[in-house]
Structures are given as structure tokens and as C-alpha cells.
Amino acid sequence: MKDFVLYCKSYSRDFLRLKRLLDSVKKFNFEQIPFYISTPQADKELLTKVLGLDDYIWIADEAIVAANPGTDIQKYKAMPGGLSQQIIKAEFWRLGLAENYLCLDSDSLFIRSFHRSDFVDASNIPYTVLHQNKELFQIASDRGYDKVERDLKNEAERVKALFDRVGPNFYGAPAPFNWSAKVWQSLDKEYLQAHQMTIWDLISPEHPESLIYIEALMKYGAIPVIAIEPLFRVYHYDWQYFLMRRLGENEAEVAKHYFGIIYQSAWEAELNFGQTQKSLPSRLLKRLKRFGRYLQSYI
């Protein structure tokens, strides 16, 4: 078992983004920290065509699913991909490959060099991204997007209730998530088994994996909490990206404080692999709305 690795769960539509991420890992991973990528078994051939065979270790999603003896493989196959990928990321620890893992999304990339010591301390305790989202809430409020704070606060309250915690809301997002296998193990032992359920029953659109990890960590104390701010600069929304760019933000400036950037795949459609299923009028309307948000950044 390794002490620390990189891991990304991906699928065919994101393979161009994943290639960009892999290229950035090759450029900045000077300590050669192992990089694991998992995809559905059916996507392996395409993955090899797009990424080649070097600089990563491939794992089938199905192998991660099967590592949990209580999992019904049919439930995985029937579940929407956006939800099952959350669970697969949270279940990577079951393979016994690493004590800790930096869980990356395909739409992210490193923009400066990184080392093991940036993510775990001398005792191999991972630093935990733990904050209250005040920057995002403030900028969203300033721009009239009050729904952002309302939705995220409601989400946090629902997950807190699962663990009977009262007090401030804390967030472990955005990705990448710097996770400890011990925290996921404690969730399995203390919560899931006690409630006679699996993580496939727990994680849902109402209860995302990033919040469940944070609440399990605070509830069961599997590792000491060494809190840090987000590791990557994330542009949650295109209007946020337009505004930050207008204010002078660029990769060189971001690299002073962050190891990487996340460009949300929801509004970076040009990197979707394969043909779009949306109609031409739908695509034109989406572009028109985005242009409107671009203009709004000047208000």
C-alpha cells in the first residue's frame, strides 16, 4: 500500500479534458507520485487511443464497485453516471492501493509543480480542505445569484442532520479532494454498518460525497483535522470566470496561490468528446445566454 497517490474517475465524454489533466501531471509531478485513472471497462480501448498507455495506471470502475462485498453491481449499472461517479471516487480506498489519495476531476489541470508534502504531513496525515465558502457566497450575492448560497447551505444542513451535528456549515469542495482511507473506513464501520446500508444507499443528489466525508471526519475523528483552503482555483460558473478574467486573473496569477485550475465541464462544451446530442437551436440559445453573462461582467 502506498502512502499517497493521485486518482481520477473519468468516462468517455471527458477524455479530452482528461488528456489535458494528464499532460499537466506529467509536466509538474516531479516526484512521480503514482496517478491512477478509472473508467468503465467499456471505455478502456477509447481511453488508450486518446491518452496512450504511459504515465498512469488504469483501473476498471467495475473493479472498484466489486471491492465492496455489499454492493449490487446492478445498482451501479442502473444509477445515473453523475451520481455513480461520486460513489466510485469515495470507494477507491477499498482497493487497498493507498492510505491517502488526491481525488481529481477530469476538468482540472495542474499549473505549477507539486510534491507529496503539499498534501500530507510528515506523519502521512492528509491536509483537509475545510472552509465556509464565504468568497463564493459573497461574489454570488454581489452579482445577484442568491440561489448559489441558498442551495449550498441547504445541502450542508441536510448532510449535517445525518450525523446529528449542529453548528457552522463547513465544505470540503471544490475538488481535488484530499482524502484519507481511514475516514471512509470509519464511515463504513460507524455509520453504514450500524444503519445496515452501503454507501450506494447514502450518497445521493441531496447528500454529496464531499460533505459526507467532512461530516464523517468531524463525527468519528479518524484522523486529526489539519485544515487548509482549496487546492485549486475553481470557476464554478462562466459568469464567475468572465468576471475574474476582467479583473486581471490569469494562470500566472492563480499559480501564486493554487496548484491548479478547474474549468467546469458544464460550460466548457468544446472539450466534450464525441458528437453533441443537443439541437442547433439549443446550442445557439446556450451561446446567447453565455454572451449575456459575459456582458454582465462589465456591469
Side-chain angles (χ1 to χ4, degrees):
M1 179 181 289
K2 299 177 176 64
D3 56 2
F4 180 75
V5 300
L6 312 175
Y7 166 61
C8 180
K9 155 74 182 100
S10 192
Y11 73 118
S12 58
R13 196 185 75 164
D14 275 348
F15 281 177
L16 294 180
R17 297 182 182 91
L18 181 60
K19 185 179 187 304
R20 181 180 63 182
L21 169 60
L22 178 61
D23 288 342
S24 75
V25 170
K26 290 190 290 186
K27 182 176 181 180
F28 294 113
N29 184 16
F30 295 121
E31 293 182 343
Q32 298 298 302
I33 299 169
F35 184 24
Y36 290 86
I37 293 174
S38 77
T39 70
Q41 177 72 48
D43 289 349
K44 182 183 180 182
E45 182 177 353
L46 179 60
L47 178 77
T48 302
K49 288 181 180 179
V50 177
L51 267 65
L53 294 169
D54 300 325
D55 303 301
Y56 67 94
I57 304 162
W58 177 80
I59 299 171
D61 288 347
E62 290 83 352
I64 298 176
V65 176
N68 185 337
T71 297
D72 179 358
I73 192 70
Q74 296 306 316
K75 182 178 290 188
Y76 153 71
K77 292 180 178 179
M79 189 173 287
L83 184 57
S84 65
Q85 72 172 352
Q86 290 188 38
I87 303 173
I88 289 171
K89 289 189 292 186
E91 290 279 82
F92 175 77
W93 68 272
R94 289 187 182 274
L95 296 178
L97 297 172
E99 296 178 44
N100 309 295
Y101 58 105
L102 187 71
C103 188
L104 296 142
D105 285 341
S106 301
D107 53 5
S108 58
L109 71 153
F110 286 94
I111 57 174
R112 66 178 171 94
S113 61
F114 59 91
H115 304 83
R116 176 188 175 280
S117 59
D118 294 314
F119 308 108
V120 297
D121 72 2
S123 301
N124 202 36
I125 297 171
Y127 305 124
T128 300
V129 173
L130 189 69
H131 60 102
Q132 292 187 280
N133 255 338
K134 290 183 178 180
E135 180 191 12
L136 176 61
F137 292 164
Q138 185 64 59
I139 191 174
S141 177
D142 292 344
R143 308 305 294 178
Y145 294 100
D146 295 325
K147 185 176 183 292
V148 172
E149 180 175 358
R150 182 175 65 250
D151 289 352
L152 288 176
K153 282 191 171 182
N154 288 340
E155 197 172 67
E157 291 292 341
R158 289 194 297 267
V159 178
K160 276 165 52 180
L162 293 175
F163 295 89
D164 299 318
R165 186 175 73 83
V166 296
N169 292 330
F170 293 106
Y171 302 87
F177 308 116
N178 201 30
W179 283 341
S180 165
K182 292 179 181 178
V183 174
W184 290 121
Q185 287 174 318
S186 70
L187 174 73
D188 184 61
K189 179 180 178 180
E190 304 292 342
Y191 188 95
L192 297 176
Q193 294 182 31
H195 289 80
Q196 297 184 328
M197 60 192 302
T198 72
I199 198 165
W200 292 84
D201 304 308
L202 180 62
I203 292 177
S204 69
E206 293 75 29
H207 306 122
E209 86 285 21
S210 62
L211 287 173
I212 287 174
Y213 179 91
I214 292 300
E215 293 298 331
L217 170 58
M218 292 192 289
K219 177 77 171 181
Y220 306 119
I223 60 172
V225 177
I226 309 174
I228 57 171
E229 295 187 65
L231 295 158
F232 279 30
R233 179 57 154 154
V234 58
Y235 300 109
H236 299 273
Y237 309 98
D238 53 5
W239 58 261
Q240 180 192 12
Y241 172 74
F242 295 143
L243 179 61
M244 293 299 100
R245 292 286 289 184
R246 187 176 66 78
L247 294 176
E249 190 162 289
N250 54 48
E251 286 193 8
E253 291 299 317
V254 171
K256 295 177 181 179
H257 303 288
Y258 296 93
F259 291 102
I261 291 179
I262 297 174
Y263 297 103
Q264 290 284 12
S265 58
W267 53 270
E268 200 184 34
E270 65 273 11
L271 284 181
N272 287 348
F273 190 91
Q275 296 294 321
T276 179
Q277 296 181 352
K278 293 185 179 296
S279 65
L280 178 60
S282 176
R283 298 199 302 273
L284 291 175
L285 179 60
K286 185 175 182 179
R287 290 182 180 180
L288 181 62
K289 288 181 177 179
R290 179 173 296 174
F291 183 67
R293 291 191 290 270
Y294 168 73
L295 294 178
Q296 184 188 37
S297 72
Y298 286 88
I299 298 176

